[in-house]
Amino acid sequence: MAKININYNKLAAGYLFPEIARRTREFQEKHPNMVLKKLGIGNTTEALTPAVVSGLIKGVNNLADPATYSGYGDEQGNKKLRQVLSDYYSSRGIALSPDDFFISDGAKPDSSNIQSIFSSDSIVAIQDPAYPVYVDSNVITGKAGNYSEEKGEYDGLKYMPCTEENNFFPNLPKGKVDLIYLCSPNNPTGAVATHEQLKKFVDYAKNNKAVIIFDAAYSEYISDPKLPKSIFEIEEAKECSLEINSLSKFAGFTGVRLGWTIVPEELVAEGTEPGEIRNLWNRRQSTFFNGASNIVQEGALAVFSKEGLKESKELVNYYMENAKIIMKGVAALGITAYGGVNAPYVWIKTPGGISSWDFFDKLLSETGVIGTPGSGFGPGGEGFFRLSAFGHRENIEAAMESIKQNLKI
Amino acid sequence: MAKININYNKLAAGYLFPEIARRTREFQEKHPNMVLKKLGIGNTTEALTPAVVSGLIKGVNNLADPATYSGYGDEQGNKKLRQVLSDYYSSRGIALSPDDFFISDGAKPDSSNIQSIFSSDSIVAIQDPAYPVYVDSNVITGKAGNYSEEKGEYDGLKYMPCTEENNFFPNLPKGKVDLIYLCSPNNPTGAVATHEQLKKFVDYAKNNKAVIIFDAAYSEYISDPKLPKSIFEIEEAKECSLEINSLSKFAGFTGVRLGWTIVPEELVAEGTEPGEIRNLWNRRQSTFFNGASNIVQEGALAVFSKEGLKESKELVNYYMENAKIIMKGVAALGITAYGGVNAPYVWIKTPGGISSWDFFDKLLSETGVIGTPGSGFGPGGEGFFRLSAFGHRENIEAAMESIKQNLKI
């Protein structure tokens, strides 16, 4: 008698984005003439750049000719791409072997699957608020315990509050934990960790043999040269950290699908030798994954060409110009806002201290603007609201104009 | 103190394909002038067809223009593609809702991840020999128990022997099991289940509330109209089965990456209502996956166009012509062979009853032909050897000519 994995029943009932979609649909039905301005999901909107398009076309054409056709590639990714990534990190002063890089179909699969190479009794610490995938993947695999409706928390997770008081970067966990998810630039708060802040976590992790799972998916949005783009800029981080990244936000690959996870040979856990954890991830990927699309990997190679890098940086600048417009708009209304400077997310404090979902409804009904309620990212997000800088310029401008004209605060 | 998932330590030490690569490399170093003929890994070699190339190029061009650019798609896949798949099955007399289809990046990820929606104490039955991924994914997630070197088996799995006596389709499992992996046309034996054979398993599954995980990745290689291409051709199969398929072997997508899993609304397990298991897989994919590449999905749509289907069938015919050449070649030498008629794999009995690996070494050293030792697919494969029909025609012909001239039997 086949039974289901009961951990699925522990997932908190309300899913953030479907609930947003439901409320939006309901509103639109009642107000069919209202033009909605979507600043909700962090989804890219601008075209792929010419260098990348050429790379992808080359990828397709390679497969159109038996002389250049390729079938299954290495599960770890194209050797050339792993070398190019190693060179790219090297150009930023970070020495990593191509063997430390594992190409995948994105940061979401990697950040959800990475827990599976660790013990099922691992104590998991997450930032609060956080990207829901860190929580849900640990719930489904039985590492998060049970959900308390009252607290809005899982009793098996260690929540690390990210608040105005700590500038949205958490204090060290109390007691010992095994796995620590850190995301910088942060989704949803837009906060970026400093070298000193990360150093404290690296020291903690080394002293407690914990492993830091560092999500750097927004690293290319950092323009301040003092802020670290990779956990591996911190001394000794390789011994206690792995890092996840992707081309989704750097090069508009949200629908194209390409990411990578760096598992340094030096990384160790309790009772393991250097190289063992890297081998574990290798074995995981070899069993559960069959490599990223060879077409997409050609596109990724093009991103790291001279032209591709230049164009991708322009793409980032475009979205960051959007962020500036949002920041300026909310500041003019006297709304307290965070992030938005080295990150594509603006994290606003709800005016009048109303709840995140109440502000969602208010913003939608008064201005037609859709954002993301902070409480959807965890209890620590209550009273906050995320505006995404991903969008066409005219959409962003229309949203801010409508907020300026119509929001009653 | 982070600890690793110790189930990884239970994986049997020797990996099939790396060991083949190692022995091949060693041989090639000693015999640098010998031209090797590779009939080992089931990897496609012929170019994508014109219709598919056009579809993929369209997919790339869509992303080059902000008016047609798309970012994140639905985790379940492009609505149009799910409809097209539903229509394709319908054209073969199988009624399935588009909502039953979940598009993915391939049959390997799906067949390795599918176990995760079921209880960790599930009793798992597998055909022996079998595609190693079924076994390894259950080992890593703790459902297979410990490996016995002596038996070459995991003590927690139920092995269903596939032998000459049962025409390589297993008898029903003894006692109750929860999950049953069936692959037809079979990798590695090339056997294809009849309607009656599948019906027995469907009846067993219904009576025992077991779930059949049906891998139909080679279904397009069936030319005999009497043989079922889908488990859903069997009455009541929807209530106890899910099915996995892919474009890898039908349209040469091994490197392009696109597959799908069908979870019918009707499918139930112990204590679940219709729709619940489908929802579980939906939730699993929404958490751990971010959709197949939108470029690749455009290519997939092209496969199911009139031209695309015609061209893909020609591709299948090409490889099946290879299979005929292999079958004829081994028959001329008096070697007993199975499969190869409605499947791209030829499963030969090692001449003189020598072990699978001894035959690998013998074939390589005497003829320069590389195949796959049957024992690499489980203990039931010992004494057998797989030859793959995937390859350029001249490679297949050269291999068979060398076997004819040089194999000492």
Side-chain angles (χ1 to χ4, degrees):
Chain A
M1 293 196 292
K3 293 186 293 292
I4 63 163
N5 173 355
I6 53 164
N7 291 315
Y8 276 88
N9 296 336
K10 299 177 183 171
L11 285 167
Y15 312 151
L16 180 58
F17 293 106
E19 178 62 15
I20 292 175
R22 193 190 65 75
R23 294 195 190 204
T24 304
R25 204 166 43 238
E26 205 175 284
F27 177 82
Q28 186 81 86
E29 278 162 14
K30 284 186 198 155
H31 305 85
N33 297 324
M34 184 106 160
V35 179
L36 300 185
K37 283 98 25 200
K38 298 183 184 179
L39 276 65
I41 301 179
N43 202 357
T44 50
T45 55
E46 302 312 301
L48 295 183
T49 70
V52 173
V53 170
S54 299
L56 290 165
I57 296 281
K58 183 186 166 202
V60 175
N61 286 333
N62 281 347
L63 302 180
D65 181 343
T68 50
Y69 178 87
S70 58
Y72 294 123
D74 294 337
E75 284 99 345
Q76 304 79 9
N78 176 325
K79 278 196 176 59
K80 201 168 154 192
L81 181 56
R82 297 173 88 192
Q83 181 66 54
V84 160
L85 278 167
S86 166
D87 293 346
Y88 184 64
Y89 280 76
S90 175
S91 74
R92 303 195 318 205
I94 301 167
L96 290 161
S97 155
D99 293 341
D100 297 338
F101 288 83
F102 296 85
I103 312 299
S104 76
D105 63 329
K108 182 181 176 189
D110 286 1
S111 60
S112 56
N113 287 318
I114 195 73
Q115 46 73 33
S116 69
I117 62 170
F118 296 102
S119 175
S120 58
D121 64 0
S122 297
I123 298 170
V124 176
I126 54 145
Q127 290 175 277
D128 178 27
Y131 178 44
V133 165
Y134 312 146
V135 174
D136 290 356
S137 58
N138 279 293
V139 172
I140 290 169
T141 55
K143 297 182 182 77
N146 293 308
Y147 186 69
S148 155
E149 284 284 351
E150 198 191 324
K151 291 187 178 176
E153 290 185 359
Y154 289 92
D155 60 13
L157 292 179
K158 296 280 182 185
Y159 288 80
M160 302 186 293
C162 296
T163 63
E164 288 179 285
E165 289 69 37
N166 61 23
N167 286 315
F168 301 100
F169 189 81
N171 304 326
L172 291 173
K174 283 172 195 144
K176 286 192 177 181
V177 303
D178 302 314
L179 304 179
I180 304 167
Y181 289 79
L182 290 178
C183 175
S184 175
N186 191 264
N187 176 15
T189 69
V192 185
T194 64
H195 193 283
E196 294 67 33
Q197 286 171 327
L198 292 182
K199 180 73 169 70
K200 273 185 197 163
F201 269 80
V202 167
D203 289 344
Y204 169 92
K206 281 204 64 185
N207 290 335
N208 292 281
K209 278 210 175 162
V211 171
I212 297 171
I213 297 164
F214 191 76
D215 183 345
Y218 300 92
S219 58
E220 297 291 345
Y221 286 77
I222 296 176
S223 55
D224 182 342
K226 290 194 301 294
L227 294 170
K229 289 184 175 179
S230 164
I231 188 89
F232 302 121
E233 294 181 35
I234 315 305
E235 312 82 83
E236 301 181 324
K238 285 186 203 171
E239 296 160 40
C240 62
S241 314
L242 54 85
E243 182 166 304
I244 296 165
N245 209 325
S246 110
L247 292 182
S248 285
K249 307 301 161 76
F250 182 31
F253 272 44
T254 43
V256 180
R257 312 303 312 140
L258 192 119
W260 61 93
T261 287
I262 304 166
V263 187
E265 187 174 15
E266 293 86 339
L267 176 61
V268 287
E270 178 65 15
T272 72
E273 297 294 318
E276 262 187 84
I277 297 186
R278 189 174 75 176
N279 282 347
L280 274 189
W281 185 244
N282 183 46
R283 194 67 212 265
R284 192 270 159 204
Q285 293 298 81
S286 302
T287 304
F288 291 82
F289 183 60
N290 223 341
S293 171
N294 45 17
I295 297 168
V296 174
Q297 293 193 75
E298 278 298 329
L301 281 169
V303 171
F304 292 99
S305 67
K306 199 180 154 198
E307 269 308 300
L309 283 173
K310 186 171 160 284
E311 292 169 2
S312 297
K313 280 169 190 167
E314 283 162 13
L315 203 54
V316 167
N317 291 340
Y318 178 89
Y319 292 125
M320 285 311 295
E321 187 61 33
N322 287 350
K324 272 186 202 156
I325 293 166
I326 297 170
M327 290 293 278
K328 203 176 149 194
V330 293
L333 291 175
I335 295 173
T336 306
Y338 300 94
V341 180
N342 291 285
Y345 295 123
V346 177
W347 187 240
I348 68 174
K349 205 170 169 174
T350 61
I354 65 174
S355 83
S356 299
W357 277 110
D358 284 350
F359 186 68
F360 175 89
D361 291 334
K362 178 181 165 70
L363 191 69
L364 177 57
S365 62
E366 292 177 4
T367 73
V369 173
I370 297 158
T372 313
S375 57
F377 298 100
E382 184 54 276
F384 288 87
F385 197 80
R386 191 188 80 174
L387 292 174
S388 161
F390 295 106
H392 295 314
R393 180 69 41 78
E394 57 273 26
N395 181 54
I396 302 286
E397 284 170 343
M400 298 321 293
E401 185 59 27
S402 179
I403 289 175
K404 186 179 161 190
Q405 299 294 336
N406 305 314
L407 186 67
K408 299 186 186 92
I409 47 171
Chain B
M1 292 196 294
K3 294 185 292 292
I4 63 163
N5 173 355
I6 53 163
N7 291 317
Y8 277 89
N9 297 337
K10 298 177 184 171
L11 286 165
Y15 312 151
L16 179 59
F17 293 107
E19 178 62 16
I20 291 175
R22 193 190 66 75
R23 293 196 190 202
T24 305
R25 204 165 45 239
E26 205 175 285
F27 178 82
Q28 186 82 86
E29 277 162 14
K30 283 186 197 155
H31 307 85
N33 296 324
M34 185 105 159
V35 179
L36 300 184
K37 280 85 51 186
K38 298 183 183 179
L39 276 64
I41 301 178
N43 202 356
T44 51
T45 54
E46 302 312 300
L48 295 183
T49 70
V52 174
V53 169
S54 299
L56 291 164
I57 296 282
K58 182 185 167 204
V60 175
N61 286 335
N62 280 348
L63 301 179
D65 181 344
T68 49
Y69 178 86
S70 58
Y72 294 123
D74 294 337
E75 284 98 345
Q76 304 79 8
N78 177 325
K79 278 196 178 57
K80 200 168 152 192
L81 181 56
R82 297 173 87 193
Q83 181 66 55
V84 160
L85 279 167
S86 166
D87 294 344
Y88 185 63
Y89 281 76
S90 175
S91 74
R92 301 196 318 206
I94 302 167
L96 290 162
S97 156
D99 293 342
D100 297 339
F101 288 83
F102 296 85
I103 312 298
S104 75
D105 64 328
K108 183 182 174 188
D110 285 0
S111 59
S112 56
N113 287 319
I114 195 72
Q115 46 72 35
S116 68
I117 63 171
F118 296 101
S119 175
S120 58
D121 64 2
S122 297
I123 298 171
V124 176
I126 55 146
Q127 288 175 278
D128 178 27
Y131 179 43
V133 164
Y134 312 146
V135 174
D136 290 356
S137 59
N138 279 294
V139 172
I140 289 169
T141 56
K143 297 182 183 77
N146 294 308
Y147 186 70
S148 154
E149 283 285 352
E150 198 191 323
K151 291 187 179 175
E153 290 185 1
Y154 289 92
D155 59 15
L157 293 180
K158 296 279 180 185
Y159 289 80
M160 302 186 292
C162 296
T163 63
E164 288 180 286
E165 288 69 36
N166 60 23
N167 286 317
F168 301 100
F169 189 81
N171 304 326
L172 290 173
K174 284 173 196 145
K176 286 192 177 182
V177 303
D178 302 313
L179 304 178
I180 303 167
Y181 289 79
L182 290 178
C183 176
S184 174
N186 191 265
N187 175 15
T189 68
V192 185
T194 63
H195 193 284
E196 294 67 34
Q197 286 172 326
L198 291 183
K199 181 73 170 70
K200 273 186 198 163
F201 269 79
V202 167
D203 290 342
Y204 169 92
K206 281 205 65 185
N207 290 335
N208 292 279
K209 278 211 175 163
V211 172
I212 296 171
I213 297 164
F214 191 76
D215 183 345
Y218 299 92
S219 58
E220 297 291 347
Y221 286 77
I222 296 176
S223 54
D224 182 344
K226 289 192 302 296
L227 294 170
K229 289 183 174 179
S230 165
I231 187 90
F232 301 121
E233 294 181 36
I234 315 305
E235 311 83 84
E236 301 182 323
K238 285 186 202 171
E239 295 161 42
C240 63
S241 315
L242 54 84
E243 180 166 307
I244 296 165
N245 209 327
S246 111
L247 293 182
S248 285
K249 305 301 161 74
F250 182 30
F253 272 44
T254 43
V256 179
R257 311 304 310 140
L258 192 118
W260 62 92
T261 287
I262 303 166
V263 187
E265 187 175 15
E266 292 87 338
L267 176 61
V268 288
E270 178 64 15
T272 71
E273 296 295 318
E276 263 187 82
I277 296 187
R278 190 175 76 175
N279 282 346
L280 274 188
W281 185 244
N282 184 46
R283 194 69 211 265
R284 192 271 158 202
Q285 292 299 81
S286 302
T287 304
F288 292 82
F289 183 59
N290 223 340
S293 172
N294 45 16
I295 298 168
V296 173
Q297 292 192 78
E298 278 298 330
L301 280 169
V303 171
F304 293 99
S305 67
K306 198 180 154 196
E307 269 308 300
L309 284 173
K310 186 171 160 281
E311 293 169 2
S312 297
K313 280 169 190 170
E314 283 163 12
L315 203 55
V316 166
N317 290 342
Y318 178 91
Y319 293 124
M320 284 312 296
E321 187 60 34
N322 287 348
K324 273 185 202 157
I325 293 167
I326 297 171
M327 291 293 278
K328 201 176 150 194
V330 293
L333 291 174
I335 296 174
T336 306
Y338 299 93
V341 179
N342 290 286
Y345 295 122
V346 177
W347 187 240
I348 66 175
K349 204 170 169 177
T350 60
I354 66 174
S355 82
S356 299
W357 277 110
D358 283 350
F359 186 68
F360 175 90
D361 291 335
K362 178 181 166 70
L363 191 69
L364 176 57
S365 63
E366 291 177 5
T367 73
V369 174
I370 298 160
T372 312
S375 57
F377 298 98
E382 183 56 276
F384 289 87
F385 197 80
R386 190 188 80 173
L387 292 175
S388 161
F390 294 107
H392 296 314
R393 180 69 40 81
E394 57 272 28
N395 181 53
I396 302 285
E397 284 170 342
M400 296 322 292
E401 184 59 27
S402 180
I403 288 175
K404 183 180 163 188
Q405 298 294 337
N406 304 311
L407 185 67
K408 299 186 186 89
I409 46 172

